[in-house]
Amino acid sequence: MSPDTLNSLFSLFIGFAFAGALASGYQAMAERPAGFGLLQEGVAPKTFAAVPFLVFAAPFIIMRNTLRGARCARRFEFVMMATVISGFWSLMSGTFFMMTLRATGVLG
């Protein structure tokens, strides 16, 4: 595998891990699972704070909702689309997270 491929794969894994850690941390603190319903609480500072949280936690939430919906026999196309969207989103958030670590000097 080329170094670029390994870097992309590592970013994908970091993005999913970071999303899972954020969503699990939210669930431990709020005692309810994180979801996109956080945006439907009206105009409040809490709603605006939920936007950056959801930007990074979305891949985990999308996959969790997709896997929970597997019990009701979802179509293959829907599951595949959700997986691709979640993977791409995770790749982008993982890339941003890695770039931030490099910019702060944590990663060499």
Side-chain angles (χ1 to χ4, degrees), residues 16 58-59 62-63 66 74-90:
F16 270 124
I62 292 169
M63 287 309 298
T66 302
R74 298 228 171 144
R75 292 179 47 179
F76 173 77
E77 294 87 1
F78 175 77
V79 174
M80 188 63 183
M81 182 181 63
T83 304
V84 168
I85 290 171
S86 178
F88 184 73
W89 200 327
S90 175

Side-chain angles (χ1 to χ4, degrees), residues 2-74:
S2 71
D4 288 337
T5 304
L6 284 175
N7 191 25
S8 294
L9 200 59
F10 190 64
S11 292
L12 177 78
F13 293 154
I14 290 291
F16 270 124
F18 188 57
L22 281 175
S24 297
Y26 177 85
Q27 186 169 351
M29 300 269 297
E31 298 179 355
R32 66 183 177 116
F36 294 109
L38 293 171
L39 296 174
Q40 298 176 348
E41 297 181 9
V43 179
K46 184 168 59 171
T47 305
F48 290 114
V51 171
F53 168 76
L54 287 173
V55 164
F56 289 102
F60 179 83
I61 295 169
I62 292 169
M63 287 309 298
R64 183 195 64 208
N65 292 345
T66 302
L67 292 175
R68 281 185 181 170
R71 289 184 225 128
C72 58
R74 298 228 171 144

